[in-house]
Amino acid sequence: MKVALLGVGQAGGKITERLARFDADMGFGAVQGALAVNSAKPDLKSLEFVDTQLIGADRVNGHGVGGDNELGTEVMQSDIQQVLGALDGRVTSKAEAIFVVAGLGGGTGSGGAPVLVHHLQQVYDVPVYALGVLPGRNEGALYQANAGRSLKTLLREADATLLIDNDAWHEQGESVEGAFETINDRIARRVGLLFASGEAVEGVGESVVDSSEVINTLRAGGVAALGYASEVASEDSAENIRTTMSVSRQALLTGTSLPDATTAEAALLVIAGQSDAIPRKGVEKARHWLEDETGSMQVRGGDFPLDSDRLGALVLLGGAERSDRIEAFMDRAREAKQAQETESTDHADAFADDRLEDLF
């Protein structure tokens, strides 16, 4: 799947760089161009593998927006033509989709990403998706409220929004910095493999997944989630049927970017590994299991030939917004927004409406 990546804000820039580097290191050739956009100059200077674009210099002088996502929205709107101009040569005719990548809790990413998605939809005739990272439960109220508003707006503007819960892909006991490093690495590997589906460099599969299957799965719109798991492949093909079922179950039930998100309107199962190690019977059996588990009649499946001694399963869910995890997060975001309003005013009408307003 040929994609163009646009990272917005600190987290968006770092993840975009990891994705572009992973794709280049693996030789997949899925990432056609990558650009990081931020209002904080030091965050851009730390990036080495992607091109960069500073925004809001006349408003914040390269110092960032300080977690203020309304200001993040304003600086992106003010400099949107500059950003679109920087995309020349990066969104080529080969690009089959554009992904706008952002951490949804900060200021520039949560405020600027929806603006950028909105304008990209007007300019390009390919799907424009968001890849958004939700703040963890232990991150502050500002981050929860920012992410709630940003997510609500992205769901309206993007063709689909692939969500990563910060609580999903880090190890217990890690430092905050270590946790972010782990999460970014896992995002790069999992999302990078999704992009690479159909860009196989080793062998020929019996039923290779291509970009249209990814796009059709995401056509449901709304929230998307991605799961992954792998195990060492057996030399016995019959054993690999069991392994295929095992990694498919793990990918959905314990390895998704949105824990507990198992109900979806559409799903895609990709089994990756050596061509002769991928059992056709196992792939079909796992696909039928995925139909039952997700309650979807739109479950696609196929293989991704890859030079590896392991069998891996990628599960992409489209239309997964009915997840309990999403409901719990939006409740946290509403409570955080209400708490902010209570601190800033004594008026009783602050409690009259707890809905999260759109960013623009």
Side-chain angles (χ1 to χ4, degrees):
M1 185 178 185
K2 306 290 188 186
V3 300
L5 301 177
L6 287 89
V8 186
Q10 183 184 45
K14 286 184 175 181
I15 294 168
T16 294
E17 178 163 76
R18 294 285 181 91
L19 279 165
R21 190 185 293 273
F22 174 79
D23 185 73
D25 289 346
M26 295 295 289
F28 291 141
V31 176
Q32 295 292 290
L35 177 72
V37 181
N38 205 339
S39 61
K41 198 170 185 178
D43 292 339
L44 292 178
K45 282 189 172 181
S46 69
L47 303 177
E48 302 173 353
F49 206 76
V50 296
D51 294 321
T52 61
Q53 178 70 50
L54 182 69
I55 58 172
D58 58 335
R59 294 286 300 275
V60 297
N61 201 29
H63 297 305
V65 299
D68 184 342
N69 69 347
E70 290 186 359
L71 182 54
T73 296
E74 291 171 13
V75 298
M76 181 64 82
Q77 285 175 328
S78 296
D79 290 352
I80 190 64
Q81 294 306 320
Q82 186 179 341
V83 174
L84 294 175
L87 294 179
D88 284 348
R90 294 183 178 87
V91 183
T92 67
S93 59
K94 292 182 179 179
E96 296 164 291
I98 301 170
F99 275 80
V100 175
V101 185
L104 301 187
T108 305
S110 70
V115 178
L116 184 52
V117 169
H118 175 82
H119 286 276
L120 290 169
Q121 294 279 26
Q122 315 305 312
V123 176
Y124 295 100
D125 193 27
V126 294
V128 180
Y129 304 120
L131 194 167
V133 181
L134 293 175
R137 288 186 179 88
N138 61 349
E139 297 184 54
L142 173 66
Y143 296 97
Q144 309 296 331
N146 279 354
R149 298 178 67 195
S150 186
L151 176 57
K152 182 179 178 183
T153 314
L154 278 174
L155 290 176
R156 184 188 68 213
E157 300 294 337
D159 287 297
T161 301
L162 176 57
L163 284 183
I164 315 290
D165 189 330
N166 251 348
D167 290 330
W169 284 349
H170 71 83
E171 303 294 337
Q172 294 297 323
E174 281 185 313
S175 67
V176 173
E177 185 175 339
F180 286 144
E181 288 294 310
T182 299
I183 291 164
N184 289 349
D185 279 340
R186 291 185 175 181
I187 292 172
R189 285 187 169 276
R190 289 155 171 74
V191 179
L193 284 173
L194 177 67
F195 291 162
S197 298
E199 301 292 333
V201 293
E202 296 287 342
V204 178
E206 289 187 36
S207 178
V208 176
V209 173
D210 63 25
S211 58
S212 67
E213 313 226 26
V214 177
I215 290 170
N216 285 332
T217 303
L218 294 175
R219 187 160 284 148
V223 171
L226 183 64
Y228 176 78
S230 72
E231 291 181 11
V232 174
S234 172
E235 294 181 5
D236 181 351
S237 59
E239 272 295 303
N240 282 338
I241 295 176
R242 182 201 62 78
T243 303
T244 299
M245 284 298 300
S246 174
V247 294
S248 299
R249 288 192 179 102
Q250 291 174 53
L252 179 68
L253 301 178
T254 65
T256 64
S257 60
L258 278 178
D260 307 322
T262 57
T263 302
E265 291 184 30
L268 171 66
L269 171 69
V270 182
I271 302 298
Q274 295 278 6
S275 297
D276 55 3
I278 298 175
R280 174 61 26 214
K281 187 175 180 181
V283 174
E284 280 304 305
K285 188 176 179 182
R287 190 178 67 79
H288 288 307
W289 172 83
L290 193 58
E291 283 182 353
D292 293 338
E293 198 68 23
T294 61
S296 171
M297 296 303 292
Q298 298 182 61
V299 177
R300 300 166 178 86
D303 28 286
F304 177 22
L306 192 64
D307 186 12
S308 173
D309 64 350
R310 303 178 73 85
L311 277 181
L314 271 174
V315 173
L316 176 66
L317 302 179
E321 55 269 18
R322 295 190 299 277
S323 159
D324 291 342
R325 192 73 162 222
I326 292 294
E327 287 300 317
F329 166 73
M330 292 305 286
D331 286 343
R332 291 205 311 270
R334 282 188 284 267
E335 289 169 8
K337 181 63 177 172
Q338 191 175 64
Q340 286 180 324
E341 292 171 347
T342 303
E343 289 175 6
S344 63
T345 179
D346 292 329
H347 299 300
D349 61 2
F351 297 94
D353 188 356
D354 67 350
R355 291 176 301 176
L356 292 157
E357 70 274 22
D358 285 344
L359 278 165
F360 62 92

